[in-house]
Amino acid sequence: MPETVLQLENVSKKIGKKEIIHNISFEIQKGEIFGLLGPNGAGKTTIIRSIVGLISKTNGKVSICGVNLDDDFKDAIQNVGAIIENPEFYMYMSGWKNLKQFAKMNRKNISDEQIKQIVEKVKMTHAIHNKVKTYSLGMRQRLGVAQALIHQPALLILDEPTNGLDPQGMAEFRMLIKELATNGTSVLISSHLLSEIQQITDRFAIIDKGHLTHIEKMSDLTEEKILKVTLEVSDGESARLILDTLDLEIVEQNGNLFVLNVTREVLPEISRALVRANVDIFELSKIHFSLEDRFLALTNGGEL
C-alpha cells in the first residue's frame, strides 16, 4: 500500500459570509509530485496556508504523516518544509550562515555534515559561502529549497516556486524537484505556469472558485482514446468527401487543412482512402493535448 504523507478531508474556509474554499479533499503519497492549479483567486494559496497552519480552517481535517494538524500541530508540522511566495534571507550573510541560523531554530539537532549534504543536493556548494546578496534569483530559490529541506521533511510545499526564473533556472529547478521525489520526498507545488506543472508533476488538481473540480494523473494526458490530428492535403474538396465516409469528427476545415478527432485505429484507413483517391497527403500529425487544454476545458476558459 502507498504511504499517505498529506491528507485533506473536506477542508473549508469562510471569511464572513464568503466561502473561500469549499470541502477540499485530496491526498499525496510518498515520493509523489502533486500540482495545484487554478485561476487567480481560486483558493490555491488559501489551501496551502491551511495546510501549514498560517490560517485557521472553518471546517475539515488536515493530516500530515498520519498526524492531525489540529490535535498535535508541532508533531504534524515538523514533517513539512515550505516555500510560500519568495524565500527570505539575511542578505548580508552567506548562504551557509543563513542555513546555520535556520538550523539553530529547529527542534532537531542538525549537524554541519547534514547541512553540507543538503547544500550538495541543491547544487549550491560552489557559492554557499558567498553573501546571499550576490546570488541570482535561481540560486536564492535553491537556497530556499535547502532551507525547507534542512530538517529532512516528508513533505515539501512550494507556492509559485519558478516565478522570475529564466529557462535554465526552471530546468535546473525541475531536475532538483524530480530528484527529491525519487528519493522519497513528497512535493506539493502550486503554479500558474501550466507548461512547468505538466513537465514535473505526477498528478494535478484543479481548483476553481474555491471548489476542487478535477484530479487527474499527468500520464493520462498522453493516453487519450480520441486523438486530435492535423491533416494537410492537395485537394480539400475531394478529401472532405472521403473523410465524411469515415468514422471520425471533422473539427475544422480551412481549405486543404483539416483538424480531426479520430481513434488511433482509423488513422491508417484515412491514409489508404486518400491515396486510393489520388489525394496527396502533405501532413498527418497528432496535436498533443496539453495541460493548458485540460485546464481551459475544466474552468470554462478561466484566465490564470
PDB file of all heavy atoms in Angstrom, residues 123-149:
ATOM      1  N   LYS A 123      22.794  21.632  -5.179  1.00  0.00           N
ATOM      2  CA  LYS A 123      23.854  22.096  -6.076  1.00  0.00           C
ATOM      3  C   LYS A 123      24.249  23.554  -5.809  1.00  0.00           C
ATOM      4  O   LYS A 123      24.332  24.385  -6.720  1.00  0.00           O
ATOM      5  CB  LYS A 123      23.438  21.900  -7.535  1.00  0.00           C
ATOM      6  CG  LYS A 123      23.246  20.433  -7.910  1.00  0.00           C
ATOM      7  CD  LYS A 123      22.805  20.256  -9.341  1.00  0.00           C
ATOM      8  CE  LYS A 123      22.799  18.790  -9.732  1.00  0.00           C
ATOM      9  NZ  LYS A 123      21.939  17.940  -8.909  1.00  0.00           N
ATOM     10  N   MET A 124      24.528  23.839  -4.537  1.00  0.00           N
ATOM     11  CA  MET A 124      24.939  25.186  -4.147  1.00  0.00           C
ATOM     12  C   MET A 124      26.320  25.210  -3.490  1.00  0.00           C
ATOM     13  O   MET A 124      26.729  26.229  -2.919  1.00  0.00           O
ATOM     14  CB  MET A 124      23.905  25.781  -3.184  1.00  0.00           C
ATOM     15  CG  MET A 124      22.658  26.303  -3.870  1.00  0.00           C
ATOM     16  SD  MET A 124      23.000  27.770  -4.862  1.00  0.00           S
ATOM     17  CE  MET A 124      23.410  28.967  -3.594  1.00  0.00           C
ATOM     18  N   THR A 125      27.055  24.111  -3.572  1.00  0.00           N
ATOM     19  CA  THR A 125      28.350  24.018  -2.909  1.00  0.00           C
ATOM     20  C   THR A 125      29.304  25.132  -3.348  1.00  0.00           C
ATOM     21  O   THR A 125      30.034  25.706  -2.530  1.00  0.00           O
ATOM     22  CB  THR A 125      29.002  22.649  -3.193  1.00  0.00           C
ATOM     23  OG1 THR A 125      28.101  21.614  -2.782  1.00  0.00           O
ATOM     24  CG2 THR A 125      30.311  22.507  -2.435  1.00  0.00           C
ATOM     25  N   HIS A 126      29.280  25.469  -4.629  1.00  0.00           N
ATOM     26  CA  HIS A 126      30.231  26.433  -5.177  1.00  0.00           C
ATOM     27  C   HIS A 126      30.020  27.849  -4.644  1.00  0.00           C
ATOM     28  O   HIS A 126      30.938  28.673  -4.684  1.00  0.00           O
ATOM     29  CB  HIS A 126      30.125  26.449  -6.704  1.00  0.00           C
ATOM     30  CG  HIS A 126      28.817  26.987  -7.200  1.00  0.00           C
ATOM     31  ND1 HIS A 126      27.626  26.294  -7.055  1.00  0.00           N
ATOM     32  CD2 HIS A 126      28.510  28.161  -7.815  1.00  0.00           C
ATOM     33  CE1 HIS A 126      26.639  27.000  -7.580  1.00  0.00           C
ATOM     34  NE2 HIS A 126      27.143  28.127  -8.039  1.00  0.00           N
ATOM     35  N   ALA A 127      28.800  28.152  -4.140  1.00  0.00           N
ATOM     36  CA  ALA A 127      28.502  29.540  -3.751  1.00  0.00           C
ATOM     37  C   ALA A 127      27.984  29.668  -2.325  1.00  0.00           C
ATOM     38  O   ALA A 127      27.627  30.765  -1.916  1.00  0.00           O
ATOM     39  CB  ALA A 127      27.466  30.131  -4.716  1.00  0.00           C
ATOM     40  N   ILE A 128      27.991  28.582  -1.576  1.00  0.00           N
ATOM     41  CA  ILE A 128      27.324  28.602  -0.279  1.00  0.00           C
ATOM     42  C   ILE A 128      27.973  29.549   0.717  1.00  0.00           C
ATOM     43  O   ILE A 128      27.321  30.041   1.648  1.00  0.00           O
ATOM     44  CB  ILE A 128      27.235  27.158   0.305  1.00  0.00           C
ATOM     45  CG1 ILE A 128      26.188  27.105   1.410  1.00  0.00           C
ATOM     46  CG2 ILE A 128      28.598  26.685   0.778  1.00  0.00           C
ATOM     47  CD1 ILE A 128      24.787  27.423   0.955  1.00  0.00           C
ATOM     48  N   HIS A 129      29.251  29.856   0.541  1.00  0.00           N
ATOM     49  CA  HIS A 129      29.936  30.759   1.475  1.00  0.00           C
ATOM     50  C   HIS A 129      29.983  32.204   0.964  1.00  0.00           C
ATOM     51  O   HIS A 129      30.603  33.060   1.605  1.00  0.00           O
ATOM     52  CB  HIS A 129      31.344  30.244   1.770  1.00  0.00           C
ATOM     53  CG  HIS A 129      31.345  28.936   2.512  1.00  0.00           C
ATOM     54  ND1 HIS A 129      30.902  28.807   3.810  1.00  0.00           N
ATOM     55  CD2 HIS A 129      31.691  27.682   2.102  1.00  0.00           C
ATOM     56  CE1 HIS A 129      30.998  27.548   4.196  1.00  0.00           C
ATOM     57  NE2 HIS A 129      31.472  26.839   3.175  1.00  0.00           N
ATOM     58  N   ASN A 130      29.322  32.462  -0.159  1.00  0.00           N
ATOM     59  CA  ASN A 130      29.177  33.835  -0.643  1.00  0.00           C
ATOM     60  C   ASN A 130      27.957  34.489  -0.005  1.00  0.00           C
ATOM     61  O   ASN A 130      27.023  33.815   0.420  1.00  0.00           O
ATOM     62  CB  ASN A 130      29.012  33.869  -2.164  1.00  0.00           C
ATOM     63  CG  ASN A 130      30.219  33.297  -2.880  1.00  0.00           C
ATOM     64  OD1 ASN A 130      31.315  33.215  -2.315  1.00  0.00           O
ATOM     65  ND2 ASN A 130      30.025  32.897  -4.126  1.00  0.00           N
ATOM     66  N   LYS A 131      27.963  35.820   0.060  1.00  0.00           N
ATOM     67  CA  LYS A 131      26.810  36.527   0.619  1.00  0.00           C
ATOM     68  C   LYS A 131      25.589  36.350  -0.282  1.00  0.00           C
ATOM     69  O   LYS A 131      25.701  36.355  -1.511  1.00  0.00           O
ATOM     70  CB  LYS A 131      27.138  38.010   0.796  1.00  0.00           C
ATOM     71  CG  LYS A 131      28.162  38.271   1.897  1.00  0.00           C
ATOM     72  CD  LYS A 131      28.416  39.764   2.082  1.00  0.00           C
ATOM     73  CE  LYS A 131      29.417  39.985   3.225  1.00  0.00           C
ATOM     74  NZ  LYS A 131      29.699  41.419   3.455  1.00  0.00           N
ATOM     75  N   VAL A 132      24.437  36.223   0.341  1.00  0.00           N
ATOM     76  CA  VAL A 132      23.204  35.966  -0.409  1.00  0.00           C
ATOM     77  C   VAL A 132      22.891  37.107  -1.370  1.00  0.00           C
ATOM     78  O   VAL A 132      22.308  36.881  -2.438  1.00  0.00           O
ATOM     79  CB  VAL A 132      22.027  35.730   0.564  1.00  0.00           C
ATOM     80  CG1 VAL A 132      20.701  35.622  -0.182  1.00  0.00           C
ATOM     81  CG2 VAL A 132      22.264  34.461   1.380  1.00  0.00           C
ATOM     82  N   LYS A 133      23.300  38.333  -1.032  1.00  0.00           N
ATOM     83  CA  LYS A 133      23.010  39.474  -1.905  1.00  0.00           C
ATOM     84  C   LYS A 133      23.691  39.348  -3.267  1.00  0.00           C
ATOM     85  O   LYS A 133      23.304  40.031  -4.228  1.00  0.00           O
ATOM     86  CB  LYS A 133      23.402  40.788  -1.232  1.00  0.00           C
ATOM     87  CG  LYS A 133      24.887  40.983  -1.001  1.00  0.00           C
ATOM     88  CD  LYS A 133      25.154  42.319  -0.307  1.00  0.00           C
ATOM     89  CE  LYS A 133      26.651  42.555  -0.075  1.00  0.00           C
ATOM     90  NZ  LYS A 133      26.892  43.827   0.633  1.00  0.00           N
ATOM     91  N   THR A 134      24.688  38.463  -3.368  1.00  0.00           N
ATOM     92  CA  THR A 134      25.366  38.258  -4.655  1.00  0.00           C
ATOM     93  C   THR A 134      24.694  37.151  -5.475  1.00  0.00           C
ATOM     94  O   THR A 134      25.082  36.914  -6.610  1.00  0.00           O
ATOM     95  CB  THR A 134      26.839  37.877  -4.441  1.00  0.00           C
ATOM     96  OG1 THR A 134      26.931  36.581  -3.811  1.00  0.00           O
ATOM     97  CG2 THR A 134      27.545  38.912  -3.576  1.00  0.00           C
ATOM     98  N   TYR A 135      23.699  36.473  -4.918  1.00  0.00           N
ATOM     99  CA  TYR A 135      23.064  35.338  -5.585  1.00  0.00           C
ATOM    100  C   TYR A 135      22.087  35.795  -6.674  1.00  0.00           C
ATOM    101  O   TYR A 135      21.397  36.806  -6.528  1.00  0.00           O
ATOM    102  CB  TYR A 135      22.279  34.485  -4.587  1.00  0.00           C
ATOM    103  CG  TYR A 135      23.106  33.649  -3.632  1.00  0.00           C
ATOM    104  CD1 TYR A 135      24.488  33.693  -3.628  1.00  0.00           C
ATOM    105  CD2 TYR A 135      22.476  32.792  -2.723  1.00  0.00           C
ATOM    106  CE1 TYR A 135      25.235  32.933  -2.757  1.00  0.00           C
ATOM    107  CE2 TYR A 135      23.214  32.010  -1.841  1.00  0.00           C
ATOM    108  CZ  TYR A 135      24.592  32.089  -1.861  1.00  0.00           C
ATOM    109  OH  TYR A 135      25.330  31.326  -0.996  1.00  0.00           O
ATOM    110  N   SER A 136      21.991  35.003  -7.726  1.00  0.00           N
ATOM    111  CA  SER A 136      20.924  35.187  -8.706  1.00  0.00           C
ATOM    112  C   SER A 136      19.613  34.694  -8.107  1.00  0.00           C
ATOM    113  O   SER A 136      19.601  34.035  -7.055  1.00  0.00           O
ATOM    114  CB  SER A 136      21.231  34.388  -9.980  1.00  0.00           C
ATOM    115  OG  SER A 136      21.180  32.993  -9.701  1.00  0.00           O
ATOM    116  N   LEU A 137      18.507  34.993  -8.780  1.00  0.00           N
ATOM    117  CA  LEU A 137      17.201  34.552  -8.295  1.00  0.00           C
ATOM    118  C   LEU A 137      17.131  33.028  -8.212  1.00  0.00           C
ATOM    119  O   LEU A 137      16.610  32.462  -7.248  1.00  0.00           O
ATOM    120  CB  LEU A 137      16.092  35.085  -9.204  1.00  0.00           C
ATOM    121  CG  LEU A 137      14.656  34.711  -8.815  1.00  0.00           C
ATOM    122  CD1 LEU A 137      14.334  35.186  -7.400  1.00  0.00           C
ATOM    123  CD2 LEU A 137      13.664  35.296  -9.817  1.00  0.00           C
ATOM    124  N   GLY A 138      17.682  32.356  -9.223  1.00  0.00           N
ATOM    125  CA  GLY A 138      17.678  30.900  -9.220  1.00  0.00           C
ATOM    126  C   GLY A 138      18.456  30.323  -8.053  1.00  0.00           C
ATOM    127  O   GLY A 138      18.055  29.328  -7.450  1.00  0.00           O
ATOM    128  N   MET A 139      19.594  30.949  -7.719  1.00  0.00           N
ATOM    129  CA  MET A 139      20.403  30.489  -6.589  1.00  0.00           C
ATOM    130  C   MET A 139      19.653  30.698  -5.272  1.00  0.00           C
ATOM    131  O   MET A 139      19.703  29.856  -4.370  1.00  0.00           O
ATOM    132  CB  MET A 139      21.738  31.221  -6.572  1.00  0.00           C
ATOM    133  CG  MET A 139      22.651  30.858  -7.732  1.00  0.00           C
ATOM    134  SD  MET A 139      24.029  32.009  -7.955  1.00  0.00           S
ATOM    135  CE  MET A 139      25.007  31.630  -6.503  1.00  0.00           C
ATOM    136  N   ARG A 140      18.930  31.816  -5.166  1.00  0.00           N
ATOM    137  CA  ARG A 140      18.148  32.049  -3.951  1.00  0.00           C
ATOM    138  C   ARG A 140      17.024  31.030  -3.817  1.00  0.00           C
ATOM    139  O   ARG A 140      16.697  30.597  -2.703  1.00  0.00           O
ATOM    140  CB  ARG A 140      17.573  33.474  -3.966  1.00  0.00           C
ATOM    141  CG  ARG A 140      18.627  34.550  -3.791  1.00  0.00           C
ATOM    142  CD  ARG A 140      18.021  35.937  -3.845  1.00  0.00           C
ATOM    143  NE  ARG A 140      19.046  36.945  -4.060  1.00  0.00           N
ATOM    144  CZ  ARG A 140      18.806  38.224  -4.298  1.00  0.00           C
ATOM    145  NH1 ARG A 140      17.554  38.661  -4.358  1.00  0.00           N
ATOM    146  NH2 ARG A 140      19.800  39.073  -4.481  1.00  0.00           N
ATOM    147  N   GLN A 141      16.436  30.656  -4.949  1.00  0.00           N
ATOM    148  CA  GLN A 141      15.391  29.633  -4.899  1.00  0.00           C
ATOM    149  C   GLN A 141      15.972  28.302  -4.427  1.00  0.00           C
ATOM    150  O   GLN A 141      15.353  27.592  -3.632  1.00  0.00           O
ATOM    151  CB  GLN A 141      14.738  29.464  -6.275  1.00  0.00           C
ATOM    152  CG  GLN A 141      13.842  30.623  -6.705  1.00  0.00           C
ATOM    153  CD  GLN A 141      12.509  30.648  -5.983  1.00  0.00           C
ATOM    154  OE1 GLN A 141      12.426  30.337  -4.800  1.00  0.00           O
ATOM    155  NE2 GLN A 141      11.458  31.013  -6.675  1.00  0.00           N
ATOM    156  N   ARG A 142      17.149  27.950  -4.909  1.00  0.00           N
ATOM    157  CA  ARG A 142      17.769  26.698  -4.480  1.00  0.00           C
ATOM    158  C   ARG A 142      18.144  26.751  -3.000  1.00  0.00           C
ATOM    159  O   ARG A 142      18.014  25.759  -2.282  1.00  0.00           O
ATOM    160  CB  ARG A 142      19.007  26.392  -5.336  1.00  0.00           C
ATOM    161  CG  ARG A 142      18.669  25.964  -6.751  1.00  0.00           C
ATOM    162  CD  ARG A 142      19.807  25.167  -7.362  1.00  0.00           C
ATOM    163  NE  ARG A 142      21.006  25.966  -7.537  1.00  0.00           N
ATOM    164  CZ  ARG A 142      21.314  26.619  -8.654  1.00  0.00           C
ATOM    165  NH1 ARG A 142      20.500  26.571  -9.685  1.00  0.00           N
ATOM    166  NH2 ARG A 142      22.427  27.310  -8.740  1.00  0.00           N
ATOM    167  N   LEU A 143      18.609  27.931  -2.542  1.00  0.00           N
ATOM    168  CA  LEU A 143      18.901  28.083  -1.121  1.00  0.00           C
ATOM    169  C   LEU A 143      17.618  27.968  -0.302  1.00  0.00           C
ATOM    170  O   LEU A 143      17.609  27.402   0.797  1.00  0.00           O
ATOM    171  CB  LEU A 143      19.574  29.429  -0.861  1.00  0.00           C
ATOM    172  CG  LEU A 143      20.063  29.660   0.568  1.00  0.00           C
ATOM    173  CD1 LEU A 143      21.161  28.665   0.946  1.00  0.00           C
ATOM    174  CD2 LEU A 143      20.564  31.101   0.749  1.00  0.00           C
ATOM    175  N   GLY A 144      16.519  28.483  -0.849  1.00  0.00           N
ATOM    176  CA  GLY A 144      15.228  28.351  -0.180  1.00  0.00           C
ATOM    177  C   GLY A 144      14.805  26.900  -0.036  1.00  0.00           C
ATOM    178  O   GLY A 144      14.283  26.484   1.007  1.00  0.00           O
ATOM    179  N   VAL A 145      15.050  26.114  -1.084  1.00  0.00           N
ATOM    180  CA  VAL A 145      14.741  24.683  -1.001  1.00  0.00           C
ATOM    181  C   VAL A 145      15.627  24.023   0.051  1.00  0.00           C
ATOM    182  O   VAL A 145      15.162  23.180   0.832  1.00  0.00           O
ATOM    183  CB  VAL A 145      14.919  24.007  -2.380  1.00  0.00           C
ATOM    184  CG1 VAL A 145      14.755  22.502  -2.258  1.00  0.00           C
ATOM    185  CG2 VAL A 145      13.914  24.559  -3.380  1.00  0.00           C
ATOM    186  N   ALA A 146      16.906  24.406   0.087  1.00  0.00           N
ATOM    187  CA  ALA A 146      17.810  23.860   1.110  1.00  0.00           C
ATOM    188  C   ALA A 146      17.292  24.178   2.508  1.00  0.00           C
ATOM    189  O   ALA A 146      17.295  23.323   3.403  1.00  0.00           O
ATOM    190  CB  ALA A 146      19.219  24.433   0.928  1.00  0.00           C
ATOM    191  N   GLN A 147      16.836  25.400   2.704  1.00  0.00           N
ATOM    192  CA  GLN A 147      16.295  25.802   3.992  1.00  0.00           C
ATOM    193  C   GLN A 147      15.064  24.974   4.345  1.00  0.00           C
ATOM    194  O   GLN A 147      14.885  24.536   5.485  1.00  0.00           O
ATOM    195  CB  GLN A 147      15.929  27.288   3.948  1.00  0.00           C
ATOM    196  CG  GLN A 147      15.342  27.826   5.231  1.00  0.00           C
ATOM    197  CD  GLN A 147      15.075  29.315   5.123  1.00  0.00           C
ATOM    198  OE1 GLN A 147      16.003  30.116   5.147  1.00  0.00           O
ATOM    199  NE2 GLN A 147      13.819  29.686   4.988  1.00  0.00           N
ATOM    200  N   ALA A 148      14.197  24.736   3.350  1.00  0.00           N
ATOM    201  CA  ALA A 148      12.980  23.959   3.586  1.00  0.00           C
ATOM    202  C   ALA A 148      13.279  22.486   3.854  1.00  0.00           C
ATOM    203  O   ALA A 148      12.497  21.799   4.506  1.00  0.00           O
ATOM    204  CB  ALA A 148      12.048  24.090   2.381  1.00  0.00           C
ATOM    205  N   LEU A 149      14.432  22.001   3.344  1.00  0.00           N
ATOM    206  CA  LEU A 149      14.779  20.587   3.471  1.00  0.00           C
ATOM    207  C   LEU A 149      15.689  20.288   4.660  1.00  0.00           C
ATOM    208  O   LEU A 149      15.966  19.121   4.937  1.00  0.00           O
ATOM    209  CB  LEU A 149      15.484  20.097   2.205  1.00  0.00           C
ATOM    210  CG  LEU A 149      14.655  20.022   0.927  1.00  0.00           C
ATOM    211  CD1 LEU A 149      15.557  19.683  -0.247  1.00  0.00           C
ATOM    212  CD2 LEU A 149      13.546  18.986   1.058  1.00  0.00           C
TER     213      LEU A 149
END
